[in-house]
Amino acid sequence: MRRFLITTASIAALTSFSFAQTPSSPVVPANPAATPAGAVVGAPQPGAMANVQLAPEDVQFVKMAASGGLYEVQSSQLATTASETAEVKAFAQQMIQDHTAASQVLKGLAQQKGISLSPAMALKHQKMFDKLKDAKGEEFDKLYGKQQARAHEEAVALFEKTAAGSNDPDLKGFATQTLPKLKQHLEQAKSLPGNE
């Protein structure tokens, strides 16, 4: 039974994802009344539609990717003022730009899938950010560099797993399209202070 009507434009928008794009139009359920009870994963946001059942690992992917995006943007905003190194500041600006754009696409997918995202980072990302807030000068640059390398290693592993194993075509497409940029970020992060 077909649960959703997916337009060609919607598919094209998702498969041509780049960091500069905005979220595609939400998928409209063909018959919302036909969606079985319990099919919604996570608490739907107001106006969000019910979705076919997502695997728990797909829901976890969306939540962890969103938390990682928050960490990237907030830690990099801090780096633009706390760092005294041009290389670190330039990298931070790139992280703000790229991860803000990717987060917007992810938020659109989360809403489409009925997944409620927390406005706060996951505990592991919050601990990293709190430690970074207390650092100054050269210590800040080294800690930011180490954290960026670690965060991007974890992000690449998370996105690779979803790109290879997700049964949801939208999430699989998002992960696949985002991976090359994350890998590029990882290589850049490895050249930052603290990773010599």
Side-chain angles (χ1 to χ4, degrees):
M1 180 170 109
R2 193 170 74 185
R3 297 179 190 213
F4 295 104
L5 174 64
I6 302 178
T7 65
T8 304
S10 177
I11 293 171
L14 280 171
T15 56
S16 63
F17 166 77
S18 73
F19 273 91
Q21 289 179 315
T22 57
S24 61
S25 300
V27 174
V28 180
N31 183 1
T35 304
V40 178
V41 179
Q45 299 174 1
M49 320 114 340
N51 60 319
V52 292
Q53 287 182 322
L54 289 176
E57 55 268 24
D58 283 336
V59 176
Q60 185 67 10
F61 163 74
V62 171
K63 292 186 175 188
M64 288 310 297
S67 175
L70 280 173
Y71 162 77
E72 286 298 335
V73 171
Q74 291 183 23
S75 65
S76 296
Q77 287 170 337
L78 181 61
T80 62
T81 57
S83 177
E84 298 174 357
T85 307
E87 176 190 15
V88 170
K89 286 178 181 265
F91 177 85
Q93 283 291 352
Q94 190 67 50
M95 294 309 97
I96 294 168
Q97 178 182 319
D98 289 351
H99 285 279
T100 297
S103 292
Q104 290 302 313
V105 175
L106 185 61
K107 283 177 188 174
L109 283 171
Q111 185 175 17
Q112 174 186 322
K113 304 294 178 184
I115 301 171
S116 180
L117 296 178
S118 171
M121 293 178 230
L123 184 60
K124 74 173 188 174
H125 292 127
Q126 188 63 55
K127 284 182 177 178
M128 289 168 66
F129 182 72
D130 289 343
K131 190 173 179 182
L132 194 60
K133 283 194 302 188
D134 295 332
K136 305 288 182 207
E138 186 178 338
E139 178 193 358
F140 176 90
D141 287 346
K142 287 184 175 180
L143 183 57
Y144 176 75
K146 283 180 183 177
Q147 286 189 0
Q148 285 298 312
R150 175 181 162 199
H152 280 95
E153 283 172 355
E154 291 176 358
V156 166
L158 178 69
F159 277 67
E160 281 179 337
K161 182 178 178 183
T162 298
S166 176
N167 290 323
D168 184 275
D170 299 329
L171 297 180
K172 187 180 184 83
F174 172 74
T176 300
Q177 294 293 324
T178 308
L179 260 172
K181 185 66 75 172
L182 290 174
K183 289 178 178 179
Q184 179 186 348
H185 291 172
L186 175 57
E187 289 310 306
Q188 291 172 317
K190 287 177 179 177
S191 70
L192 293 174
N195 295 305
E196 298 85 6

